[in-house]
Amino acid sequence: MQAFEMMGTIDEKGQLILDSNLNITAPSRVKVIVLLTNEDESECDPDDTPVEEIKASL
C-alpha cells in the first residue's frame, strides 16, 4: 500500500476536494484518513517538519 499526504477541503456537501491531483493513472479504491484542524489551532503545525528538511538532514 502506498501513502500520499496532501491538503484538501471539505465542501458544504461534505465532499473532500484535494488541493492537487494525485496523478494515479488507473481507477483505484482508496482508504482515506481525515485529520481536522481545530478552530483554535493555527494552519501550520509547529511539529510538522517539511519533507525537504528531513531529507537534507539524512
Side-chain angles (χ1 to χ4, degrees), residues 1 3 6 14-15 21 28 30 32-33 36 39 41 43 47 50 54 58:
M1 185 177 283
M6 59 182 43
Q15 295 182 328
N21 291 331
S28 302
V30 299
V32 178
I33 299 172
L36 295 174
E39 293 293 323
E41 290 182 10
E43 286 260 341
D47 293 328
I54 293 170
L58 296 177

Side-chain angles (χ1 to χ4, degrees), residues 5-57:
E5 181 177 340
M6 59 182 43
M7 298 297 292
T9 304
I10 304 292
D11 69 10
E12 60 279 345
K13 295 178 185 176
Q15 295 182 328
L16 175 61
I17 301 169
L18 299 176
D19 290 348
S20 60
N21 291 331
L22 287 171
N23 296 323
I24 297 173
T25 57
S28 302
R29 187 149 171 83
V30 299
K31 181 178 189 177
V32 178
I33 299 172
V34 177
L35 304 173
L36 295 174
T37 303
N38 292 334
E39 293 293 323
D40 60 343
E41 290 182 10
S42 66
E43 286 260 341
C44 183
D45 182 353
D47 293 328
D48 193 12
T49 306
V51 173
E52 294 80 20
E53 187 177 329
I54 293 170
K55 287 181 178 179
S57 70

